[in-house]
């Protein structure tokens, strides 16, 4: 089935269940005959995955400063948009991207207290205006998401994650920032209750995506 290009991003606090829903949606859309590209931020290209490794797992003696962290996320994004997202959209694919620019506003803006207007400007620069048609915000209490992430982390040897390990206040600010973005852009950002069971949540995901496909 030939479909028009559609760019969908998945956002939310830690452990919200985005990756789980992306896999289900990829299989569903593929079965419908759509061309689907699944990707993530930070990452999505070999070079951007190198930046991901630093921002997620760096634990050296020299501090990784908030400005450095921000620029690494944006460098990864510029690489990713140009190398993967734009070509996929030009090829009429549906792009499912795990995190994008809203994560920068939430984590580096609200979490690290960096200037949000400046972050928006940097996001515009890194994406050269390539913005999502639809953003699904998986909202849940941060304690619930972190507990899920911890259960999963316990299964991985030598797990460390700089952002996941931030204080609980950091994660509360991140969640509130995501909800503010949704209130400011209700056309693009749809808030879903991520405490629902996987199957129930997926019904809502499909509904939102179907609505978006009818608009393009
Ligand atoms: N970041 C990212 C920034 O600070 N700035 C930026 O600009 C960008 C782009 C990325 C980190 O980088 C930060 C944010 C992040 O800290 P990541 O590993 O990609 O790191 O982290 P997350 O995106 O948070 O991914 P997670 O894998 O932690 O969470 P997901 O994908 O939301 O959740 P998922 O699907 O892996 O599920 C987590 C666990 O919960 C279970 C799953 O089985 C799994 O065990 N689960 C459910 N349990 C109950 N009910 C449900 N509905 C469930 N759905 C899944």
């Amino acid at each position: 089935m030939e479909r028009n290009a559609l760019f969908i991003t998945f956002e939310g606090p830690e452990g919200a269940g985005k990756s789980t829903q992306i896999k289900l949606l990829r299989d569903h859309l593929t079965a419908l005959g759509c061309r689907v590209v699944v990707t993530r931020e930070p990452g999505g290209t070999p070079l951007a995955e190198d930046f991901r490794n630093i921002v997620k797992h760096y634990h050296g003696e020299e501090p990784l400063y908030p400005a450095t962290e921000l620029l690494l996320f944006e460098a990864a994004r510029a690489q990713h948009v140009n190398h993967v997202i734009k070509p996929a959209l030009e090829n009429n694919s549906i792009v499912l991207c795990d995190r994008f620019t809203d994560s920068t506003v939430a984590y580096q803006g609200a979490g690290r207290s960096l200037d949000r207007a400046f972050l928006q400007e940097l996001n515009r620069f890194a994406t050269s205006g390539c913005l999502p048609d639809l953003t699904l915000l998986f909202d849940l209490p941060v304690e619930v998401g972190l507990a899920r992430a911890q259960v999963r982390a316990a299964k991985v040897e030598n797990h460390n994650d700089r952002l996941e390990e931030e204080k609980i206040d950091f994660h509360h600010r991140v969640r509130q920032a995501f909800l503010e973005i949704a209130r400011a852009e209700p056309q693009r950002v749809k808030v879903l209750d991520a405490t629902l069971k996987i199957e129930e949540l997926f019904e809502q995901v499909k509904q939102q995506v179907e609505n978006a496909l009818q608009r393009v």
Side-chain angles (χ1 to χ4, degrees), residues 3-62:
R3 294 275 201 180
N4 289 325
L6 191 70
F7 182 20
I8 308 175
T9 58
F10 296 71
E11 299 277 11
E14 303 293 315
K18 299 175 280 82
S19 318
T20 304
Q21 295 296 323
I22 288 172
K23 286 189 197 109
L24 291 171
L25 184 60
R26 176 201 56 202
D27 294 348
H28 172 72
L29 292 172
T30 304
L32 290 176
C34 301
R35 225 181 340 247
V36 182
V37 171
V38 171
T39 190
R40 67 176 182 183
E41 289 214 347
T45 83
L47 183 53
E49 290 286 330
D50 284 348
F51 294 142
R52 175 186 177 90
N53 197 34
I54 300 172
V55 286
K56 274 184 69 79
H57 304 302
Y58 172 77
H59 266 91
E61 259 179 46
E62 173 187 343

Side-chain angles (χ1 to χ4, degrees), residues 7-139:
F7 182 20
I8 308 175
T9 58
F10 296 71
E11 299 277 11
E14 303 293 315
K18 299 175 280 82
S19 318
T20 304
Q21 295 296 323
I22 288 172
K23 286 189 197 109
L24 291 171
L25 184 60
R26 176 201 56 202
D27 294 348
H28 172 72
L29 292 172
T30 304
L32 290 176
C34 301
R35 225 181 340 247
V36 182
V37 171
V38 171
T39 190
R40 67 176 182 183
E41 289 214 347
T45 83
L47 183 53
E49 290 286 330
D50 284 348
F51 294 142
R52 175 186 177 90
N53 197 34
I54 300 172
V55 286
K56 274 184 69 79
H57 304 302
Y58 172 77
H59 266 91
E61 259 179 46
E62 173 187 343
L64 204 168
Y65 297 98
T68 315
E69 179 187 271
L70 167 66
L71 293 171
L72 286 168
F73 278 117
E74 295 291 0
R77 178 161 300 137
Q79 195 66 20
H80 183 215
V81 167
N82 285 296
H83 199 64
V84 173
I85 297 178
K86 279 188 177 172
L89 294 172
E90 281 158 14
N91 194 29
N92 263 350
S93 296
I94 298 176
V95 175
L96 310 181
C97 185
D98 196 339
R99 297 196 181 279
F100 198 58
T101 47
D102 297 322
S103 279
T104 310
V105 175
Y107 281 81
Q108 281 64 53
R112 301 273 190 240
S113 305
L114 296 179
D115 182 76
R116 291 202 207 181
F118 177 61
L119 297 184
Q120 304 275 23
E121 197 54 47
L122 264 184
N123 277 340
R124 262 192 294 278
F125 179 69
T127 60
S128 43
C130 181
L131 297 174
D133 300 294
L134 171 68
T135 296
L136 298 177
L137 171 55
F138 293 83
D139 180 56

